[in-house]
Amino acid sequence: MIIKADWKNPIKLEDGGKNNLIYAVNTEKISENGGCYVFYNKFGNAHSVLYIGKAENLRKRIEQQTNNLRLMMGIKNSIAGTKFIMYCEVSGNKKAKKFKRTIKMLEKQLIKYATLEGHELLNQRGTKIKYNKIEFKGNRDSEEIFGRKMNVS
């Protein structure tokens, strides 16, 4: 199976105080197509993924998430930096069961990848997903193949 996903430009999370929210997102330009979205933090050149989700209607789901107090507090209390959201649209018929399975699979793989890369994600309940670290010592060939550190779930 090949999943085709088109990442759109990141959107900065704004102060949502005017609307009694922690953060606000201008959702007018966000697609109503299905796909996955990522809340993340950027500090200099470093990126820290905070939360990954899926949606059959990205605009509607992202609007809902800005009202999710537990998630928004988790994002606010994360490390210093500017907070963003970005999303990708997935090609396919939104009404097909296969489409729902596709975006679920994409979300699962994005979460797995981010976790293995060392990002401490907030899950639906605002807790962190755990992973284990492996640290290697040895020769240069092994280091080139496997590196010195590896995160595994």
Side-chain angles (χ1 to χ4, degrees):
M1 170 189 274
I2 296 174
I3 298 173
K4 295 190 178 187
D6 182 15
W7 285 105
K8 303 303 179 186
N9 289 330
I11 301 168
K12 183 180 174 187
L13 300 183
E14 302 293 342
D15 181 353
K18 293 178 186 175
N19 300 319
N20 291 328
L21 299 171
I22 295 170
Y23 291 110
V25 177
N26 181 356
T27 58
E28 290 177 13
K29 294 182 180 178
I30 295 177
S31 168
E32 292 184 341
N33 292 328
C36 289
Y37 57 94
V38 178
F39 286 99
Y40 69 98
N41 185 64
K42 185 174 181 182
F43 188 78
N45 290 328
H47 296 81
S48 178
V49 177
L50 303 170
Y51 183 87
I52 297 171
K54 67 181 181 317
E56 291 178 42
N57 180 324
L58 286 159
R59 179 185 302 168
K60 183 178 177 181
R61 184 64 179 147
I62 291 168
E63 286 173 353
Q64 290 171 340
Q65 291 293 44
T66 60
N67 287 300
N68 180 335
L69 181 61
R70 188 176 300 215
L71 175 60
M72 292 298 110
M73 285 302 295
I75 291 170
K76 181 179 180 179
N77 293 331
S78 68
I79 61 175
T82 305
K83 312 305 192 249
F84 290 90
I85 185 167
M86 66 178 169
Y87 66 94
C88 64
E89 295 177 5
V90 175
S91 302
N93 179 358
K94 279 187 2 180
K95 296 179 182 176
K97 284 185 181 181
K98 185 177 178 182
F99 183 77
K100 292 177 185 179
R101 284 192 307 254
T102 300
I103 61 174
K104 186 174 183 175
M105 182 188 307
L106 176 59
E107 176 197 38
K108 181 178 178 180
Q109 294 306 311
L110 289 172
I111 289 171
K112 185 174 182 178
Y113 180 82
T115 302
L116 294 175
E117 288 294 310
H119 299 281
E120 294 184 2
L121 303 179
L122 301 167
N123 71 9
Q124 295 173 355
R125 292 181 179 81
T127 59
K128 294 180 179 176
I129 297 171
K130 298 187 189 292
Y131 63 92
N132 298 302
K133 289 184 180 183
I134 301 172
E135 295 181 358
F136 296 105
K137 291 193 287 184
N139 61 57
R140 289 183 189 213
D141 287 347
S142 66
E143 183 178 343
E144 288 177 15
I145 295 169
F146 298 108
R148 291 236 179 242
K149 294 182 181 182
M150 182 184 298
N151 296 319
V152 294
S153 59

